[in-house]
Amino acid sequence: MPGRDFVQPKLLSQGLTDTWKLHADADEMLWCTVASGDFDPVLEFVDANGNVLASHDGAGTHSELWQRVGSAGDYEFRVRGFANKGGGHYEYHLHRFRTEPLSTSGEATHTF
């Protein structure tokens, strides 16, 4: 299972789909990217019932999803080639984080 920040190089066999499983908490933010120099990747976010919650086929060889998890549970990211064709090396990156709600009288500061 991936931790808070997870990067893994991988080889996708032609015509297959890679599955990256995780358990996420409610209101957790997930930022997932896949990048390849070998094929056009499609990235999908799927719930435990197999429902595709989000999908992205980015420009060229990079796809990414920002997803807020509505309820705690088991999920997975799926990586496949566009039109289920292609394969090769790619890098999978998952960054997970949570934010705290601000109170109505609260103040927040941030440095860019």
Side-chain angles (χ1 to χ4, degrees), residues 1 4-5 11 16 18 20 33 35-37 40 45 49 53-54 57 64 66 69-70 82-84 86 89 93 97-98:
M1 293 272 204
R4 294 285 122 202
D5 207 10
L11 176 64
L16 297 182
D18 280 346
W20 298 86
T33 64
S36 172
D40 180 9
F45 183 62
N49 296 321
L53 304 175
D57 176 19
E64 72 179 82
W66 284 86
V69 177
F82 177 73
N84 288 324
H89 292 92
H93 179 222
F97 60 96
R98 297 189 68 158

Side-chain angles (χ1 to χ4, degrees), residues 1 7 12 15 20 23 40 45 50 54-55 60 70 79 82-83 87-88 101 103 107 109:
M1 293 272 204
V7 178
L12 177 68
W20 298 86
H23 181 84
D40 180 9
F45 183 62
S55 180
V79 179
F82 177 73
S103 66
E107 213 175 279
T109 60

Side-chain angles (χ1 to χ4, degrees), residues 38-98:
D38 296 337
F39 68 102
D40 180 9
V42 176
L43 180 61
E44 297 175 327
F45 183 62
V46 180
D47 69 12
N49 296 321
N51 300 312
V52 176
L53 304 175
S55 180
H56 186 248
D57 176 19
T61 59
H62 177 89
S63 293
E64 72 179 82
L65 285 172
W66 284 86
Q67 190 69 33
R68 180 186 155 274
V69 177
S71 59
D74 294 324
Y75 296 90
E76 60 189 39
F77 283 101
R78 294 179 183 168
V79 179
R80 61 179 172 81
F82 177 73
N84 288 324
K85 295 180 181 175
H89 292 92
Y90 71 94
E91 183 174 272
Y92 172 88
H93 179 222
L94 175 62
H95 180 71
R96 304 167 67 162
F97 60 96
R98 297 189 68 158

Side-chain angles (χ1 to χ4, degrees), residues 27-41:
D27 294 325
E28 189 171 6
M29 289 296 301
L30 306 174
W31 175 32
C32 185
T33 64
V34 291
S36 172
D38 296 337
F39 68 102
D40 180 9

